[in-house]
Every structure is written in structure tokens, then in C-alpha cells.
Amino acid sequence: MDLKTMTYLVVGASFALYFGIAIWARAASTGEFYAAGRGVHPVANGMATAADWMSAASFISMAGLIAFQGYEGAKFLMGWTGGYVLLAMLLAPYLRKFGKYTVPEFIGDRFYSQTARLVGVICLITISITYVIGQMKGVGVAFSRFLELPFEWGLIAGMAIVFVYAVLGGMKGITYTQIAQYIVLILAYTIPAIFISLQITGNPIPQLGLIGNDVGSGQSLMVKLNQTIQDLGFKEYTGPVRSQLDMFLYTMSLMIGTAGLPHVIIRFFTVPKVADARWSAGWALVFIAILYTTAPAVGAMARLNLTNTIWPNGAQSDPISYEARPQWFKNWETTGLLKFEDKNGDGKIQYYDDKGLGEKGTARGWQGNELTKVDRDIMVLANPEIAALPNWVIALVAAGGLAAALSTAAGLLLAISSSISHDVMKGVLTPNITERGELLAARIAMAGAILVAGYLGLNPPGFAAQVVALAFGLAASSIFPALMMGIFSKRINSHGAILGMVAGIGATLIYIFWFKGWFFIKGTEMAANVPGNWFLGVSPEAFGAIGAIINFAVAYGVSMVTAPPPKEIQDLVESVRIPRGAGAATSH
């Protein structure tokens, strides 16, 4: 069966499954729409959380960035997994015991202020919209390649799919859909990795293949990869690139940003008991680890496969001619995410680093790198095609990439719609709204969020993982400090919390917009996004950790010079931290 037909069958079957689950688990009440009726088993919730978490950034983009960043890409692995430890130990059980539906609701009640609640809503929407831009980019990449459409039409197709099952099912439908999506995405990620690891290293376990030997040369895989790309002027794969300060702050930003992501936190409101919230986080980490320990091998092998395809006999010989390019190359050219420009007119694809190779390239008659665009987000999806794997494997990868992007997009959109309908409308504007009216408002808000995310996804400020990293920085600088201080400090009052969140997210947003363009609009950057212009060499993606410090400092400073919280609020904080009674969580 040809690839196109096979892809339609596999992807179509997965969509039919998602739609069927959404119809079966359609939310009939606000409790089911916001928190799945608080009846999800910890293992099932851990699997759904893993799918919610492992977005297009994890499935499509992370290994692509590792493929080109090498050692530096470890920050994603360390930051994103380390954040779950913080979430399990410091936030999830306490927030579940508090017994609310949304993060802004907790902030509003803990800091006894509707203003604090609204600031929480603004922070949540800012974070979630930024995050969902990355998911829309991933959806567009996958759809554009496997439906053979331009990127823009692929993104629109993805928006339509999300609209149907997310608006219909709410948290209840999304939870069970995400369980199915996890199974699809983890099979789609690991099966090709096993095939490719066998091809390159002879080892069926990718994690071991990464530290094994290349079967063709007998060299260590890392030594072989370093030699292959350094011969073309690229930097050493296993060598550090960023400054230690930026690497540390980037990792910390991802870590505490993970623990502060609203769409992940609300997943722990769906379990029956407080203890289940902690178990859910533990199971989620197990399910996530299966993919995250495979990603470094996928990235390294994808980089080696790509380079060897262009230079089949090594850099000392000639690259392939453009006319002889393989079919996968032609397929990705159609999407506009892979581009070739014959700069010296010889009809061959000179793929190298102009600066790194320098005069050696000029001496060979080359006039610059001719593979002018290799979008990092295509590497995981293209890797099975580059390795000439069976069509069913390539089709499965397409289904997995779409499952990853759609699952997280649905979770983010639910967080946005819940905050608008429950926190803004019911909590502030129309407290007497009926349950039916609240459900309608939530679905309308979700539809609006899909349109905004799709529009921004057409012009993302970076690759999927880079855009997502910005969202983590915003969560790190706003939500995480507010939750930590709300749970562990009785002295932080409403004034401190509000000003802290505003200062933290404000400083982070300004720094990001300074280099990425105001509201991510291209051409509005105040300075070039290069290390020489960064404050203390700290990149925009890493600034969230500094924003968090600003948030903590302002909140504590203001709270110390203003009146302490009322006694009942201090008693509430004390009761939330006491394990006694944790088996019977407070219902909403």
C-alpha cells in the first residue's frame, strides 16, 4: 500500500477513535467539563497528564533541536522532567486538597482578592496562548506533510479537529481522549527509534544504541557523529555551546515553569483523593520518561542520517546532485520547511557551515550552504522516511505527531476556557449564571481561543520547542511563585501576590518582546536576538528564572510592609499543608 493511502488510514482511524471517545464521554455538567467529575484513576490520570504534557514540542521539536544543538539540548530533558518532581512534591497534593477547579480560583481565594484572581486569569491566558502557538506550529507541520498541503492549510485542518473534540467533551472527554493519544504517540515515537537504532548500531534499544558503536565504521556513534559534522564545519555535537549561566537559568526556567503550567496543574484536580494527586504525578513521570530517554538517541541518529543522505561518501567526496535527491526530500520541499538554493550552479547540494569551514569551502568552489532551510520541527517526522522505513511506520509517526500536538492543545484550550467562564464570568461578572450558561460560555471561549491560537500559529516566533520555552518562562515568573508562596507562606498577602505576579510576568514579557518582537509581531524587535545583546548573556527563553526571582522579591517586600492576611486565611494555609485528612479531599 502506498504511503499516502496508508497515512490516511492510520491517521483517520486515530481521529475516529478520538471523536468516538469525545462523544462517549461528553461533559454534561460543569463538574465534568472542568474536572472530569473528580473520578479519574491515578494511573489513567498519569497517562493523560503525560499526553497533555508531551506536546508537539516534546514529540516533534525536542529531538529536532537536540539533533542540531547536541549537548546543549540536554536542558530540555533536565528542565522538563525535573519540573515534575517539583510539581509532585510541592504543589499537586496541596492544590488538590484545596479543592478548586482552576488555578486563578485558588489564587483568588488564597489571596482573598478578586483582583488577584483576575491577574491570575491574565497570566494563565498569556501563558496558554503562547504555549498553544507551539502546538499549532506542530499541527501545521504534521498536517502539511502528510496531507500534502501548504503549512497554512495544514494548520487550519488541525484547528478544526481540535475544535470538534475539545469543545464537545471538556475535561472528561479530553482525559479519556488523551489516554488514547498517549498510547498512539508513545508507539509512534519508540517503534521508529527501535528500527533506526538497529540500522545504525545493531542495538534494538535506542538508549543503549546512543552509547554504542556505528555498525558501518565500528566507531562509537558519538565519535562518528562528531567527525561527520565537524568535517562540514559544524560545531562538535557533544561540546557545550551556551554560557553556563544561561544554561543553568534556561534549565531552571523550564523546571519551575513546568511546575507552574496551568493546563498541567488542573489535571490533578480530576482525581478522587489528595494522595492520588501525588501518585498521578509519579505515574506521569514514568510515562514521560519512556519518550524522554529515547529523544537523545532519536536526535543524534536523525542528524547522522540527514548528513549521510546528503554526503553518502563523506565530506571529502561530492554531495548528491539535486536531481538525484530522494523522495523524502521532495516531499518536505513541498511543505516549504526544507529549501535548497543552488548558489554555485553545479546542481549539487552543498550542505555545510559557511563560517565553520571557511576558506576550505571556497577552495572547493562552494559559495555558501545550499540547504538554506532545514526546519528543526521536521526532523522526527522525516527521520523514518530518511531511513527508508516501511510505510506503516511512517504513517504511525504522522499519527503520533498529531496526537502529541492535539492532546496538549486541547488541555491548553480547556485551561483558557475554564478561566474565562468560571473565573471571569461566574466568579466576577455574572455570579448568578446558570450551569448551562456557564457550559455554553466555556465552549464559546474555547472556540475563540482556537481562532486566536491558529492566527498566531501562522507566524510563530520560533520552532515549536522554542515557543513553548517562552511559555515556560512566563509560567515560571508568574504562576509558580504565587502558588508556592500561597501554600508555604502565611505572611504573603494580596498586595504582595498581585504586585509580585505583575512584576514577574511584566519583566519577562518585556524582555521576550524586546528580542522576539512586540506581541510576537515580526519587525517590531528592539534589538537583534543574539548573545551579545542579552542581559548578562541570558537568552529570552531563560529569563523566566530571573522573572521568578523578581516575583518572589516583590511579593515578600510588599507583604512585609503591609498588613498580614486575615486570620482565617492564615488558618486556611495551615490546614492545606497538614497531611491529616488528605484521604478525603475537599469537594468544590
Side-chain angles (χ1 to χ4, degrees), residues 40-51 53-54 84-85 88 182 268 271 275-291:
V40 182
H41 190 277
V43 177
N45 194 52
M47 193 175 292
T49 303
W53 167 247
M54 290 191 297
Y84 259 89
V85 178
Y182 175 79
F268 299 105
V271 293
D276 293 338
R278 200 185 295 276
W279 278 108
S280 290
W283 279 110
L285 196 55
V286 170
F287 292 127
I288 289 167
I290 298 173
L291 188 147

Side-chain angles (χ1 to χ4, degrees), residues 285-309:
L285 196 55
V286 170
F287 292 127
I288 289 167
I290 298 173
L291 188 147
Y292 271 46
T293 56
T294 308
V298 171
M301 294 174 189
R303 181 71 178 278
L304 186 60
N305 270 341
L306 173 67
T307 309
N308 284 341
T309 299

Side-chain angles (χ1 to χ4, degrees), residues 43 67 90 112 123 132 137 156 252 254 263 269 273 289 379 396 398 425 491 504-505 513 525-526 567 570:
V43 177
L90 300 179
Y112 53 95
C123 292
V132 85
K137 171 72 186 302
I156 291 170
M252 286 301 301
L254 294 174
H263 77 287
F269 300 160
K273 299 183 296 184
M379 293 305 296
L396 182 61
M425 295 195 64
R491 185 61 181 82
I505 197 169
F513 289 158
E525 303 88 348
M526 303 302 293
K567 185 177 185 304
Q570 297 187 45

Side-chain angles (χ1 to χ4, degrees), residues 340-411:
F340 165 75
E341 178 186 346
D342 193 1
K343 294 180 178 179
N344 65 350
D346 68 351
K348 297 178 180 178
I349 306 173
Q350 276 90 35
Y351 171 52
Y352 68 105
D353 186 288
D354 308 35
K355 295 180 180 178
L357 205 59
E359 294 181 359
K360 293 181 180 179
T362 306
R364 296 182 65 173
W366 302 344
Q367 296 181 15
N369 175 38
E370 296 180 341
L371 205 56
T372 56
K373 183 175 183 180
V374 183
D375 194 300
R376 307 304 189 245
D377 292 343
I378 76 172
M379 293 305 296
V380 169
L381 298 178
N383 202 19
E385 293 182 271
I386 298 173
L389 297 187
N391 284 346
W392 69 268
V393 178
I394 299 171
L396 182 61
V397 172
L402 291 168
L406 295 173
S407 62
T408 303

Side-chain angles (χ1 to χ4, degrees), residues 435-446:
E435 184 168 292
R436 183 176 179 181
E438 190 179 349
L439 268 177
L440 178 61
R443 287 178 168 131
I444 292 173
M446 187 177 288

Side-chain angles (χ1 to χ4, degrees), residues 28 88 176 186 204 206 242 245 285 316 334 367 397 439 479 549 564 587:
Y176 294 105
I186 203 64
R242 288 178 179 265
L245 175 63
L285 196 55
Q316 302 310 313
T334 303
Q367 296 181 15
V397 172
L439 268 177
I479 298 292
I549 295 172
S587 62

Side-chain angles (χ1 to χ4, degrees), residues 15-38:
F15 285 164
L17 175 63
Y18 306 153
F19 289 153
I21 292 172
I23 294 170
W24 166 73
R26 183 173 181 176
S29 66
T30 52
E32 290 183 341
F33 191 91
Y34 294 138
R38 301 200 193 278

